[in-house]
Amino acid sequence: MSEKGSRTAMRTVYCDHAATTRCHPEVARLVYEFLTEHYGNPSSIHAVGRRARKGVEEARAQVAALIGAQPGEIFFTSGGTEADNWALRGAMAANRAKGRHLIISPFEHHAVLDTAEALVREGYEVTLVDVEPGTGIIRPEALLAAMRPDTVLISIMAVNNEIGTVQDIAALCAAAKAKDPDVIFHTDAVQAAGYVPLDVKALGVDLLSISSHKIYGPKGVGALYVRKGFRFGPGLTTGGGQERKMRAGTENVPGIVGFGLAAEIAARELERRAAHAREMRDRFLRGVLAIEGVRLNGVDPFVHPELRHPGNANVSVDGIEGEALLLRLDMAGVYASSGSACTSGSLQPSHVLLAVGCSREEAQSSLRFSFGEENTAEDVDYAVEQFVKSVEFLRKLAAPGR
Ligand SMILES: *Cc1c(COP(=O)(O)O)cnc(C)c1O
């Protein structure tokens, strides 16, 4: 993304793909087509309505294919957040006869964490499963230890959005269901989709959340996979009979068709995208981990590449405030994130880093860089160079005269 020939234009390097991605140009074209030409309401009987309906149902098949589901098991939502909210509330509300207990991990996305907290205020009980310090890996034994006869739901994310830890959801789900075949298993797979192969049958999960804008699709649309054949309640809205009477409200047709195409491309490109992101991430880490006082948070991808999202890097820098470094990098055109995008701006240390045993200081001196499609080797080298310069600048500022 450099602009040769212009001395004023600054190179910009987007290293925040875990926060969101740029819409794929083919996807953007399709969204536009459905805004301007195929603008019908999918519930209308006439031709323009039928064309919109066809788009929605094609997208449902494309999204289903990305995760090995049946189209009838896919319910479109306004994004990953709504899918997570619905998963928790739909499962708990429909199974009160069994109990009021649910299990989550301590480093879930706020869409799960805050919903669980809200459920506690409504009289439900939540247990946070133990995680391995440093990596955040969850062992089946830890999950079994947290289960009770009245446990209705287990919700554990497939890939963490801050430190990129990949959980063995198939093993966790199998262990839980061996102990209690009726326990419902949900996984937030928003970060996994498009980078880690996902097959709901192989995973054995009942519910799975994904989001379009993390896989080069438009924002404001996502999906909840709901396996056929267990007790699960309708969505959060009351109104029309859309989404087989499970989620009221006129469908976001342009968003849904864009999500569908983005999912199809993601399935096709998964291996290449993962390999590219990994190459960029590893190049970046080799550069910044050479600096004194810079430490990696989470699984070491040079030892266990399969246990970390290929695009995720998260580092702490001794003696430096993450937010200050973030702002310096922003001025240099390098776009990263401190903690998760949703909590930056507030100076709360990341709940994810605290959950894996980081001190408050380490957590507050951390930054996340998440690499993806548009990053090049030159971009990464520029990001490393600016990282080095910014760290030197901030350290001088903190200790003048040294
Ligand atoms: C981004 C994200 C979400 C929220 O998805 P939205 O579509 O932005 O609402 C949920 N979970 C994880 C792990 C995410 O990274």
Side-chain angles (χ1 to χ4, degrees), residues 79-81 84 109 157 161 188 190-191 211 213-214:
T81 299
D84 285 345
H109 188 273
M157 68 201 313
N161 49 304
D188 174 338
V190 171
Q191 291 291 332
S211 174
H213 74 104
K214 306 286 176 76

Side-chain angles (χ1 to χ4, degrees), residues 48-70:
V48 68
R50 292 200 305 273
R51 181 64 188 91
R53 167 62 54 203
K54 184 163 172 275
V56 168
E57 296 316 319
E58 280 171 6
R60 201 183 305 283
Q62 288 167 314
V63 170
L66 177 65
I67 59 168
Q70 298 297 315

Side-chain angles (χ1 to χ4, degrees), residues 189-213:
V190 171
Q191 291 291 332
Y195 283 95
V196 178
L198 287 173
D199 181 333
V200 288
K201 300 290 177 296
L203 293 174
V205 297
D206 305 293
L207 299 161
L208 179 146
S209 305
I210 45 176
S211 174
S212 158
H213 74 104

Side-chain angles (χ1 to χ4, degrees), residues 246-303:
M246 287 287 274
R247 200 262 186 184
T250 299
E251 299 86 341
N252 171 7
V253 180
I256 287 170
V257 298
F259 181 21
L261 181 56
E264 188 187 300
I265 297 171
R268 198 164 67 218
E269 300 268 291
L270 188 140
E271 281 181 39
R272 190 198 54 75
R273 278 185 180 170
H276 176 71
R278 172 168 290 127
E279 195 184 324
M280 297 301 114
R281 190 271 315 273
D282 290 352
R283 188 180 182 98
F284 176 79
L285 278 181
R286 279 192 208 97
V288 299
L289 292 177
I291 308 170
E292 205 192 302
V294 176
R295 271 164 303 109
L296 178 76
N297 295 312
V299 173
D300 184 342
F302 298 109
V303 180

Side-chain angles (χ1 to χ4, degrees), residues 90-158:
M92 297 314 292
N95 294 278
R96 278 201 203 111
K98 185 184 178 193
R100 298 185 145 247
H101 182 237
L102 67 153
I103 300 170
I104 65 170
S105 84
F107 45 55
E108 291 299 308
H109 188 273
H110 278 288
V112 168
L113 208 59
D114 294 12
T115 305
E117 277 174 18
L119 286 168
V120 168
R121 289 193 293 275
E122 293 165 29
Y124 291 89
E125 282 180 75
V126 176
T127 299
L128 300 178
V129 66
D130 280 342
V131 309
E132 190 176 273
T135 63
I137 301 274
I138 297 167
R139 304 280 169 210
E141 308 80 67
L143 183 58
L144 295 176
M147 286 173 71
R148 311 192 319 208
D150 62 339
T151 304
V152 170
L153 175 74
I154 297 167
S155 180
I156 294 176
M157 68 201 313

